[in-house]
Amino acid sequence: MIRRLRRQPEPVEFTAPLLPEEPFFAIGDIHGCDRALASLLDGIDAHDAGGQSKIVFVGDYVDRGEDSASVLNRVFRMSQQSPDRVICLGGNHEAMLLSFLQDPEGRGARWLQHGGVQTLASYRIPGVAPRLTPDQLREARDRFRDALGAEMISWLRKRPLAWSSGNVTVVHAAADPAKSIADQEDRTLLWGHPAFASQPRTDATWIVHGHTIEPEVKVRGGRISVDTGAFATGRLSAALITQNKVLSLPDGRELPIRQETWRTDPGGKQTGSGNKN
């Protein structure tokens, strides 16, 4: 008997050039690490003497670290003073914070378990734990709402979830590779997507993101990862992104632009292997 040979699927490559319309800095998840942020901003100033390049924050300003209040005040002030230069995206931790303000009984425990306790402490609201009575949660919410102030709460609610320049889009967590940027769901942008790292985009769009901790800034397969776990490692990172060039900060290393070749295994799963361009 002659067996019919299964035809192997053609490999898919992500080969799009990196073409932002203008140079910009993308800063990873800060998570309450204000000293690290101040130091990183000094480094950005050294690489952008004219102060013209945009600065894009990928979100997650709060929680886990010890100084969320100072971080929020700093990025809020920057965005107010330079609204055309400073872009502050929203992250999943800002979403959890806002959910706590809206529904402390239903959403409070989750936020507190994921760093909200540290954020409240930075606003001098100590002694809060995930297991509180409904009355205690409402009291903590009321104190926190007063400490934040109406202007800050309004600002947090208005944070965009994506920013684009040329064929580069910055988000907090991920983008669904099967959908255009305009059709992305908020949950995907904030929390991630299962196919983000295992399926290439076909629209030549590069995605810059945080949310997933890496040991260093990484460039691979149309993705630029800038979250280096500042709250756990003490390293807050950024990337200076220009046409076909990525510079990692604060170390100032130029990172190779990697193409990615994706192959589909018999089970239908795609796997990628990077190649230096």
Side-chain angles (χ1 to χ4, degrees):
M1 179 183 294
I2 300 176
R3 293 183 179 178
R4 181 175 296 176
L5 297 177
R6 178 178 293 178
R7 186 176 179 181
Q8 293 297 318
E10 293 294 325
V12 179
E13 292 186 346
F14 185 92
T15 59
L18 180 68
L19 298 175
E21 292 177 355
E22 58 186 327
F24 68 91
F25 296 90
I27 296 180
D29 304 33
I30 303 165
H31 280 303
C33 298
D34 190 56
R35 285 189 191 176
L37 175 57
S39 177
L40 182 62
L41 290 172
D42 286 343
I44 286 175
D45 287 343
H47 282 86
D48 188 32
Q52 298 300 312
S53 297
K54 285 184 168 57
I55 298 174
V56 186
F57 292 95
V58 302
D60 276 10
Y61 312 101
V62 300
D63 301 346
R64 294 178 172 158
E66 300 301 321
D67 213 354
S68 292
S70 294
V71 170
L72 274 183
N73 288 335
R74 186 186 297 274
V75 298
F76 172 79
R77 186 170 61 250
M78 289 176 63
S79 71
Q80 298 299 101
Q81 292 174 346
S82 305
D84 293 331
R85 185 189 181 208
V86 178
I87 297 94
C88 299
L89 303 183
N92 62 307
H93 281 259
E94 285 73 57
M96 287 191 288
L97 180 158
L98 291 170
S99 293
F100 170 71
L101 291 176
Q102 182 177 358
D103 182 12
E105 296 173 56
R107 303 291 186 88
R110 183 186 189 191
W111 178 57
L112 295 174
Q113 288 170 353
H114 289 87
V117 170
Q118 288 89 343
T119 295
L120 292 177
S122 76
Y123 280 91
R124 299 184 179 181
I125 306 173
V128 178
R131 293 185 179 181
L132 295 178
T133 66
D135 287 343
Q136 290 172 323
L137 285 168
R138 285 193 296 270
E139 180 185 356
R141 185 274 311 275
D142 292 346
R143 293 177 64 190
F144 185 43
R145 182 178 56 198
D146 291 344
L148 279 172
E151 188 176 23
M152 179 67 79
I153 293 171
S154 175
W155 181 82
L156 285 168
R157 286 175 174 157
K158 293 176 181 177
R159 292 308 86 214
L161 300 185
W163 177 84
S164 298
S165 176
N167 72 333
V168 185
T169 294
V170 186
V171 302
H172 174 65
D176 182 344
K179 293 183 177 180
S180 69
I181 298 302
D183 292 331
Q184 298 292 317
E185 297 180 3
D186 289 356
R187 180 170 181 81
T188 294
L189 299 174
L190 287 170
W191 293 92
H193 191 277
F196 178 55
S198 61
Q199 182 177 326
R201 297 192 66 82
T202 57
D203 60 0
T205 300
W206 282 76
I207 304 295
V208 182
H209 67 98
H211 190 67
T212 301
I213 296 175
E214 299 283 359
E216 59 188 5
V217 175
K218 285 192 173 181
V219 181
R220 189 173 183 183
R223 304 179 308 278
I224 302 173
S225 308
V226 294
D227 180 10
T228 51
F231 72 94
T233 65
R235 297 191 305 273
L236 178 63
S237 298
L240 171 55
I241 299 169
T242 59
Q243 292 199 351
N244 289 316
K245 185 177 179 180
V246 177
L247 201 68
S248 172
L249 298 175
D251 54 20
R253 291 183 302 117
E254 183 175 350
L255 304 178
I257 304 296
R258 295 181 182 274
Q259 294 179 350
E260 192 96 339
T261 301
W262 305 81
R263 292 178 174 80
T264 305
D265 64 23
K269 183 179 180 181
Q270 288 185 319
T271 57
S273 60
N275 299 297
K276 284 188 179 181
N277 197 6

